[in-house]
Amino acid sequence: MPGMVAVPESHTGWTFVTSHARVLAVIADNPNVRIRDIAARCRLTERAVSRIIADLEQDGYLSHTRDGRTNTYRIEPDKVLRHPAEAGLSVASLLSLLVRDETDRARKPVAQ
């Protein structure tokens, strides 16, 4: 069906990046992204993405405004990461590792 997002296969085993970081990176890439599209890219359920967004908003890492049926998210880039091991690192420094800029996106296909 047109407009439907294919859900990638689920992933088993451990990974280097948390689901919260993945969701934040997808939002950084597109502040108007839909929850269903975040879920597909992060290989999570829409319910899990909604909970993660609520966590991020509750702790001040993210906010949103609603325009009709569309949410526009705003990330707080200067907010410091929560874990003591990342003391002094900001959201912006995390996202610099996770979000590719437009020139990289044009050159390299996304690994599946």
Side-chain angles (χ1 to χ4, degrees):
M1 295 181 99
M4 295 288 292
V5 176
V7 177
E9 290 181 32
S10 63
H11 180 274
T12 57
W14 68 274
T15 64
F16 285 101
V17 179
T18 69
S19 295
H20 282 66
R22 280 191 194 94
V23 167
L24 204 57
V26 171
I27 290 170
D29 197 39
N30 177 4
N32 298 310
V33 67
R34 298 178 307 172
I35 287 178
R36 74 173 43 171
D37 296 329
I38 298 169
R41 287 211 22 216
C42 296
R43 299 180 179 194
L44 298 168
T45 65
E46 289 180 35
R47 177 175 271 177
V49 170
S50 293
R51 282 193 304 263
I52 289 168
I53 288 172
D55 287 346
L56 293 168
E57 285 185 316
Q58 181 178 353
D59 288 344
Y61 289 91
L62 183 67
S63 61
H64 77 277
T65 55
R66 190 137 178 96
D67 183 20
R69 295 180 58 183
T70 304
N71 285 324
T72 300
Y73 296 99
R74 183 178 186 288
I75 294 171
E76 295 299 328
D78 297 328
K79 181 93 171 154
V80 176
L81 301 181
R82 293 168 35 124
H83 196 280
E86 289 101 33
L89 291 178
S90 68
V91 169
S93 60
L94 171 68
L95 292 174
S96 71
L97 296 172
L98 299 177
V99 178
R100 294 184 293 159
D101 68 23
E102 293 298 322
T103 54
D104 283 346
R105 208 175 288 132
R107 278 186 266 151
K108 301 179 207 166
V110 176
Q112 298 284 328

